[in-house]
Amino acid sequence: MEGKGFGVTEVHSTHLLCEVFLPSAFHETSTLACRFCLSSCPPEGKFECSVEVGNRTTVTAFVLLGLSNNPLIQGVLFVLFLVIYLLTLTGNLLVLLVISTDSHLHSPMYFFLRHLSFLDAFYSSIIVPKLLENLLSKKKTISLLECFTQISLVIISGATEACLLAVMAYDRFQAVCHPLLYMVAMNRKVCTGLVGASWAIGIGTGLVDTIFLAQQHFCGPNLVHSFACEAPPVLLLACSDPYISIASIFTTMMVLGLGNFVLLLGSYTHIITTALGINSATGRNKIFSTCSSHILVVTIFYGSGVFRYMTPASGSALEHVLSVQYSVVTPLLNPLIYSLKNQEVKAALRRMLARKPRLTF
């Protein structure tokens, strides 16, 4: 059996279908038939896609269509995303280092900010390395195990960050509305417990959603209209009824997303009310200056996240833009927002840079 741009070989002894000779220019139209492949086929350009057991075909790998098929554009995107990734890691790790080494920043607010910086570096490292690999490689496949692992880690980091942002808003609420009791209400034990609870909720949510997703049967096509494995485009490829998976993800978005948003809204309503009641303009400005960074981060996080995960997946250009903004750009913006708008972080950074290195022998 021959097709334009590729050939198909049927291996009767093992009931496996192997498809080879992928076109050098990865065109979507030519890959619509690209469903059954086997990694045991040795020549370059072959990849594992599905295995047929009896009369049941099961996809064993997905093809990530990415952002562009144009080699020139792919090269430009590789350089752009590599620079963004390096800046993201540098910025977030620098915030981590400054907060950890400067005693002036050993307060609850910066304890939470340190964990947020780690989350941003972690989340970016889930998505961008595979994106960079696919931009340079003709083999744009990802195994089911890799795909489900990536989806799980994305959900874990996203759910944990949603909880952590709510915790940070609660911390500001205590600092502004109950300043005399702040250090008692937000002691080390409470802060550690809140961060631990955020991670526990995130990990539990990610595992549950991924387990439901892994129960789906994928029989082809295996073309994911995205540059990474995300739940919405992957669910479109399910041959079985995805109702349970969709319900699980929707419940996660409603309970965690809406629940944390209500906590955020309540905290900042009290903060704004308290700030407006202060007679001193300097005091009001200090409160708004401290909280504005967090409000901006929350707006970016929820704005892009809601549009990406609460709208039907279609593979449109807008979806790609939202995915890039949510998974690549946002982790870069957070350390910039906190460092540029926060006077204490900038002062700590200057102290660290001005500190003379001490050599010990």
Side-chain angles (χ1 to χ4, degrees), residues 293-309:
S293 300
H294 187 250
I295 293 174
L296 184 56
V297 168
V298 168
T299 303
I300 294 172
F301 177 81
Y302 273 92
S304 55
V306 167
F307 278 109
R308 181 65 189 94
Y309 284 93

Side-chain angles (χ1 to χ4, degrees), residues 24 48 91 97 124 153 158-159 168 175 250 292 304 317 321 323 328 330:
S24 57
E48 181 178 336
L97 180 62
S124 183
L153 293 175
M168 294 175 74
F250 182 76
S292 61
S304 55
V321 171
S323 292
V328 180
T330 297

Side-chain angles (χ1 to χ4, degrees), residues 155 158-159 162-163 166 201 205 209 245-264 301-302 305-307 309-311:
I155 296 174
C163 293
I201 292 171
T205 300
D209 287 347
S245 291
I246 294 174
S248 174
I249 293 172
F250 182 76
T251 302
T252 297
M253 293 293 296
M254 292 303 295
V255 173
L256 279 184
L258 189 59
N260 285 315
F261 184 74
V262 169
L263 291 175
L264 284 161
F301 177 81
Y302 273 92
V306 167
F307 278 109
Y309 284 93
M310 295 298 286
T311 55

Side-chain angles (χ1 to χ4, degrees), residues 1 6-11 14-21 35-43 46-50:
M1 177 179 174
F6 57 87
V8 179
T9 303
E10 187 172 358
V11 186
T14 56
H15 301 287
L16 299 174
L17 297 177
C18 181
E19 190 165 277
V20 299
F21 308 122
R35 293 173 54 185
F36 310 103
C37 314
L38 187 64
S39 60
S40 59
C41 305
K46 304 168 184 178
F47 51 88
E48 181 178 336
C49 294
S50 72

